[in-house]
Amino acid sequence: MTRKTGPLLLAGLLQAGAAVAQEPAAAPAKTGGPDTQEMLFWFLLSTLVLVLLVFALLFTMIVVKLKPQLRKLYELPTVHDTWSGKVVGLLVGDTRLVNGERKDELMGHEYDGISEYDNDLPPWWKYGFYFTIVFAVGYMGYYHVANAGQLQLAEYETEMRQATLLVSAEADDPNKLTTYTALTAPADLAAGKSIFATNCAPCHGASAEGKVGPNLTDEYWLHGGEINHVYKTIKYGVTSKGMVAWKGKLAGKQILQVASYIQSLQGSKPAGAKEPQGEKEAGGKPLASK
């Protein structure tokens, strides 16, 4: 080592040490243990269950210990027939509060060895029935008289609107309608005819006259006859009616070629055409959104 290289090496070591000292300490790795909030939730839930069990045990012990005194209280004329007295009676073994006043009382009707008994409806059942009456009146007043709440159809429409806002407005979004115009070049229509004959004719017929699927040559449509509605129906399908989605099997241009070919068949009136289905569209503009 020469005289010049020694000081240079020392300076380099000092700079490296300073750089290491300035680097922040690495953050400790997170352990894979359970989340603290989850542990706290289960701890509080377990504590609540334990407290309820202790309370139930203490209540049972008190009732057993005080049963003679409760029975004397229950036998008092001023207590016996009151609602609170029936609660006390339930604690000492009288089930009138649950089963009613009359139990297996003969009504004097007997035929062919079969006797008719008179039994009370269980009070809990009667109180439940009264509650349903009050609830029904309140429900009608809230939803049908005051119109303060949404009915099922309105709730469904609101949820559908909210769901639409969450759907991405990408090019592959089924809620976003395309802005294509129909292809008219003979080559495109020939390609669309070939694709239609291979994939669509089994359901719609060789001339689109309709078989299992609807007739595509008339002016009645189930899901819109405008070129972009037809494109959407072919691309995404209508699974509820057996129409499969072709977006994974056909390219976008192929779908547009098929849709354009279908539009070119309007008014062709093929033999054996299926009866009209859906809504009529006038002047090429949909009145409703085959």
Side-chain angles (χ1 to χ4, degrees):
M1 179 181 297
T2 65
R3 292 180 179 180
K4 293 182 178 180
T5 56
L8 292 174
L9 180 60
L10 180 60
L13 292 173
L14 291 173
Q15 290 178 356
V20 171
Q22 292 176 359
E23 290 181 357
K30 293 184 179 180
T31 60
D35 184 75
T36 305
Q37 292 184 349
E38 184 178 354
M39 291 181 62
L40 180 61
F41 168 77
W42 287 112
F43 172 75
L44 293 176
L45 182 61
S46 302
T47 304
L48 178 61
V49 172
L50 181 61
V51 170
L52 292 177
L53 288 175
V54 172
F55 177 78
L57 180 61
L58 290 175
F59 181 77
T60 303
M61 293 175 62
I62 292 173
V63 169
V64 172
K65 191 72 174 178
L66 298 178
K67 195 170 184 178
Q69 289 82 357
L70 291 174
R71 184 173 294 280
K72 290 180 181 179
L73 177 64
Y74 176 62
E75 291 174 353
L76 293 175
T78 56
V79 176
H80 187 271
D81 293 326
T82 63
W83 189 88
S84 58
K86 293 178 181 179
V87 174
V88 175
L90 186 63
L91 297 177
V92 297
D94 189 343
T95 60
R96 284 190 306 157
L97 185 63
V98 177
N99 296 327
E101 297 285 346
R102 295 185 296 275
K103 181 67 175 177
D104 293 341
E105 291 185 6
L106 290 173
M107 298 186 64
H109 301 159
E110 183 173 348
Y111 181 78
D112 199 17
I114 300 175
S115 300
E116 182 179 357
Y117 290 93
D118 183 18
N119 293 321
D120 275 344
L121 286 172
W124 60 265
W125 189 94
K126 290 190 290 187
Y127 297 145
F129 178 68
Y130 300 150
F131 172 78
T132 60
I133 295 175
V134 174
F135 178 82
V137 173
Y139 182 93
M140 180 177 293
Y142 183 79
Y143 285 100
H144 296 278
V145 178
N147 294 320
Q150 290 185 331
L151 296 177
Q152 289 181 334
L153 180 59
E155 286 184 348
Y156 171 77
E157 292 174 348
T158 300
E159 291 177 0
M160 291 301 294
R161 286 194 297 268
Q162 293 173 349
T164 302
L165 297 176
L166 299 176
V167 176
S168 141
E170 302 281 336
D172 202 39
D173 179 7
N175 295 308
K176 182 180 180 182
L177 201 62
T178 55
T179 56
Y180 297 130
T181 56
L183 302 175
T184 57
D188 290 321
L189 295 179
K193 180 178 181 180
S194 175
I195 297 171
F196 183 91
T198 302
N199 301 291
C200 311
C203 289
H204 293 283
S207 302
E209 71 275 11
K211 289 185 177 180
V212 177
N215 176 10
L216 302 178
T217 65
D218 58 23
E219 52 188 350
Y220 291 84
W221 297 88
L222 294 170
H223 305 289
E226 193 270 334
I227 185 66
N228 291 285
H229 287 93
V230 178
Y231 181 93
K232 177 182 175 181
T233 304
I234 298 172
K235 184 175 182 179
Y236 298 106
V238 185
T239 55
S240 62
K241 297 182 179 179
M243 172 68 181
V244 300
W246 291 95
K247 66 177 183 177
K249 306 175 183 68
L250 298 176
K253 184 175 181 179
Q254 290 177 310
I255 296 176
L256 185 57
Q257 288 171 335
V258 176
S260 300
Y261 171 70
I262 291 173
Q263 278 214 330
S264 71
L265 297 176
Q266 295 301 293
S268 57
K269 298 181 180 180
K274 194 174 181 180
E275 67 279 1
Q277 294 175 269
E279 299 294 332
K280 184 177 181 179
E281 296 188 0
K285 296 182 180 180
L287 300 178
S289 135
K290 217 172 200 186

